Amino acid sequence: MSKKIQSIRGMNDLLPSESALWQYLEQTVANVVGRYGYQEIRFPIVEQTELFKRSIGEVTDIVEKEMYTFADRNDESITLRPEGTACCVRACLQHGLLDNQQVQRLWYSGPMFRYEKPQKGRLRQFHQIGVESFGMASADIDAEMIILTARLWQQLGVSDALTLQLNSIGSLAARAAYKDALVTYLNAHIEQLDEDSVKRLTTNPLRILDSKSPETQALLNDAPSLVDYLDEESKAHFAELTALLDVAGVAYTLNPRLVRGLDYYSKTVFEWVTDKLGAQGTVCAGGRYDGLVEQLGGKPVAGIGFAMGIERLCLLLEATAAIPASINAAPDVYVVVAGDKAKLAAVALAEQLRSELPNLKLVTHCGGGSFKSQFKKADKSGAAIALVIGDDEAEQALVNVKWLRADKEQQTLAQSAVAALLSAELL
Ligand code: ATP
Ligand code: MG
């Protein structure tokens, strides 16, 4: 036998036993964002490498070490998208969606690729649903986006497991001033810094704020705080945002050390985190990126967005037992059929039932076999009812109804009466 080929490490198959949960999640998100007026946009999985270098920033983890970048057959450098925001902005600019101060409310969903160390909640191909809005510079849209995520958690039954971490990272100028102060402070204590942070001191010092090293975190307790460097506009923006969250009843924790991995953020940044998933506790993250559109060649347009990780959300639904029983892949009915006439009758009856009862999930046995083996399959399918047709039933336009789970008498009735029975009993 030849050797079996395996999937690429960190890139998972989604098996039939898991897909119903994904569909439920995706449909719930699409429904909630749709109720706020967001429309779906789809863009390719590969883009020119330059797009991500220019938007995410050269000295970020993603661009430095996580991108899947290849030369295509024409020797152009292309990259499997590591995130969706840059692609979304690229698509909007390319198609004029941001011209003439248009406002856009958009969402997207799909696989993202990052060369990371695979572990629970951290994959190399993972899936995000992202939401972006453009053309609105005021804090009302920041609030709207956060409020809609809160509604989503409520809808999914995971509100209690999530807390909102909130911060403002101010304007570019404010951040530059703060960076200087932070670097001066940390340079004076460089011997207490972890190795990664020492590197970041020259490349991307703000990222030191979310270092995982306890020593570095301890050192940061006495470091200058970003809050003290915020510009007046960012302060007012943040005050308006928190006031709006207050009236909407969305609780938040101020986290002055919350910075985002990507370069393009400004003002508002936020993360929804849980303590139920170990180290991979951030389920949804985002922020404002007013400079990004210009950075990618457009006229300046305000933007804000976030993305949630579908795998982490699924893990959270499992961890909190928030998976509704109704997302059951089992059919309602399994048709058991033996005999030549019966086969014809079964197909006709099945199609008639599917026409009459659009919500009915009905599996017709295919592939032959004895009644006994078919009943085993019917039972295994999880169906509530088996409809049994042999040649005798077929000749008399009858069908035998057998309950596979409930303790009820089987009955034989006219085929024309089955739809009414199924509708009354199951739907
Ligand atoms: P982390 O700090 O966990 O690496 P990040 O800041 O790199 O996350 P973002 O780029 O903000 O993540 O992506 C938004 C969300 O996408 C994350 O909050 C997470 O839920 C999910 N996500 C990011 N990277 C991965 C991954 N490698 N595997 C699974 N989910 C991921
Ligand atoms: Mg990351």
Side-chain angles (χ1 to χ4, degrees):
M1 252 200 315
S2 62
K3 193 167 170 250
K4 283 185 193 145
I5 297 173
Q6 303 286 318
S7 68
I8 309 270
R9 191 162 121 83
M11 303 200 179
N12 287 351
D13 300 304
L14 184 70
L15 300 180
S17 58
E18 303 156 314
S19 57
L21 176 60
W22 278 58
Q23 287 168 359
Y24 158 73
L25 204 63
E26 287 163 347
Q27 281 159 11
T28 307
V29 179
N31 173 266
V32 170
V33 298
R35 289 174 62 197
Y36 284 81
Y38 289 73
Q39 291 178 297
E40 187 178 8
I41 181 167
R42 300 187 188 198
F43 29 77
I45 285 173
V46 277
E47 297 273 357
Q48 292 182 32
T49 302
E50 177 63 17
L51 174 66
F52 302 113
K53 284 196 175 165
R54 229 206 278 175
S55 57
I56 298 172
E58 301 262 6
V59 291
T60 53
D61 283 352
I62 292 184
V63 173
E64 276 183 338
K65 46 189 187 202
E66 295 177 1
M67 291 208 303
Y68 280 88
T69 297
F70 309 90
D72 72 5
R73 288 175 187 276
N74 200 25
D75 235 11
E76 307 216 21
S77 181
I78 60 174
T79 295
L80 295 182
R81 62 184 186 196
E83 57 111 34
T85 304
C87 313
C88 186
V89 170
R90 197 268 311 133
C92 285
L93 285 175
Q94 188 169 334
H95 301 286
L97 301 191
L98 306 180
D99 292 354
N100 309 316
Q101 273 140 38
Q102 285 177 77
V103 159
Q104 297 289 350
R105 285 181 168 83
L106 304 171
W107 69 274
Y108 59 84
S109 155
M112 305 293 159
F113 302 84
R114 297 183 195 176
Y115 197 81
E116 299 198 70
K117 197 170 148 211
Q119 55 201 286
K120 185 179 167 204
R122 189 174 296 283
L123 297 154
R124 289 181 173 172
Q125 175 178 322
F126 62 100
H127 297 75
Q128 286 184 337
I129 299 179
V131 181
E132 319 281 355
S133 74
F134 298 97
M136 294 163 277
S138 47
D140 44 7
I141 186 69
D142 306 36
E144 175 182 292
M145 288 198 144
I146 292 173
I147 292 166
L148 83 79
T149 51
R151 180 177 295 281
L152 176 64
W153 311 142
Q154 215 169 32
Q155 193 93 25
L156 292 171
V158 292
S159 297
D160 290 348
L162 287 166
T163 54
L164 172 62
Q165 306 246 328
L166 196 59
N167 192 21
S168 174
I169 57 170
S171 66
L172 208 61
R175 251 184 352 267
Y178 172 67
K179 244 186 235 178
D180 287 346
L182 183 67
V183 169
T184 306
Y185 170 83
L186 292 175
N187 260 324
H189 303 85
I190 198 160
E191 70 291 343
Q192 294 169 52
L193 275 184
D194 63 286
E195 202 182 318
D196 259 0
S197 296
V198 172
K199 268 189 231 146
R200 286 185 171 147
L201 209 46
T202 46
T203 57
N204 197 349
L206 282 190
R207 287 290 298 191
I208 298 173
L209 294 182
D210 65 6
S211 160
K212 303 277 186 293
S213 148
E215 291 79 28
T216 298
Q217 279 300 331
L219 186 61
L220 286 168
N221 287 336
D222 297 319
S225 180
L226 182 51
V227 185
D228 301 323
Y229 289 77
L230 280 193
D231 49 297
E232 288 307 315
E233 193 193 323
S234 296
K235 268 191 210 164
H237 187 98
F238 197 63
E240 193 187 338
L241 168 60
T242 51
L244 289 168
L245 293 179
D246 290 339
V247 294
V250 176
Y252 48 85
T253 308
L254 297 178
N255 177 356
R257 295 202 192 153
L258 181 66
V259 287
R260 305 278 312 123
L262 320 183
D263 265 4
Y264 53 57
Y265 287 101
S266 55
K267 292 184 180 155
T268 310
V269 292
F270 65 94
E271 288 190 2
W272 287 95
V273 296
T274 178
D275 58 8
K276 303 269 188 288
L277 301 180
Q280 272 57 252
T282 303
V283 163
C284 170
R288 180 167 277 283
Y289 48 81
D290 290 342
L292 180 62
V293 176
E294 199 179 5
Q295 213 168 307
L296 289 176
K299 294 208 180 101
V301 175
I304 174 167
F306 64 84
M308 59 192 107
I310 303 185
E311 285 84 358
R312 290 188 196 174
L313 264 175
C314 285
L315 289 171
L316 182 62
L317 288 175
E318 278 157 16
T320 55
I323 300 174
S326 59
I327 58 162
N328 180 0
D332 304 305
V333 172
Y334 194 100
V335 179
V336 168
V337 50
D340 292 336
K341 283 194 191 120
K343 270 189 199 163
L344 301 178
V347 170
L349 176 63
E351 285 311 303
Q352 180 202 322
L353 291 174
R354 290 189 182 106
S355 296
E356 280 182 53
L357 305 171
N359 293 322
L360 181 74
K361 221 190 283 178
L362 176 144
V363 171
T364 311
H365 181 82
C366 293
S370 67
F371 269 126
K372 195 173 165 211
S373 74
Q374 290 191 37
F375 269 116
K376 266 193 194 150
K377 293 203 168 88
D379 193 41
K380 211 173 155 211
S381 77
I385 285 179
L387 294 181
V388 189
I389 307 185
D391 282 345
D392 287 351
E393 283 86 5
E395 252 161 45
Q396 301 169 63
L398 295 175
V399 60
N400 183 245
V401 179
K402 253 184 111 120
W403 294 86
L404 297 172
R405 328 263 142 213
D407 189 17
K408 292 190 192 177
E409 282 287 308
Q410 60 170 303
Q411 52 179 306
T412 300
L413 70 167
Q415 286 174 11
S416 57
V418 185
L421 175 94
L422 296 179
S423 168
E425 296 284 350
L426 300 178
L427 305 174

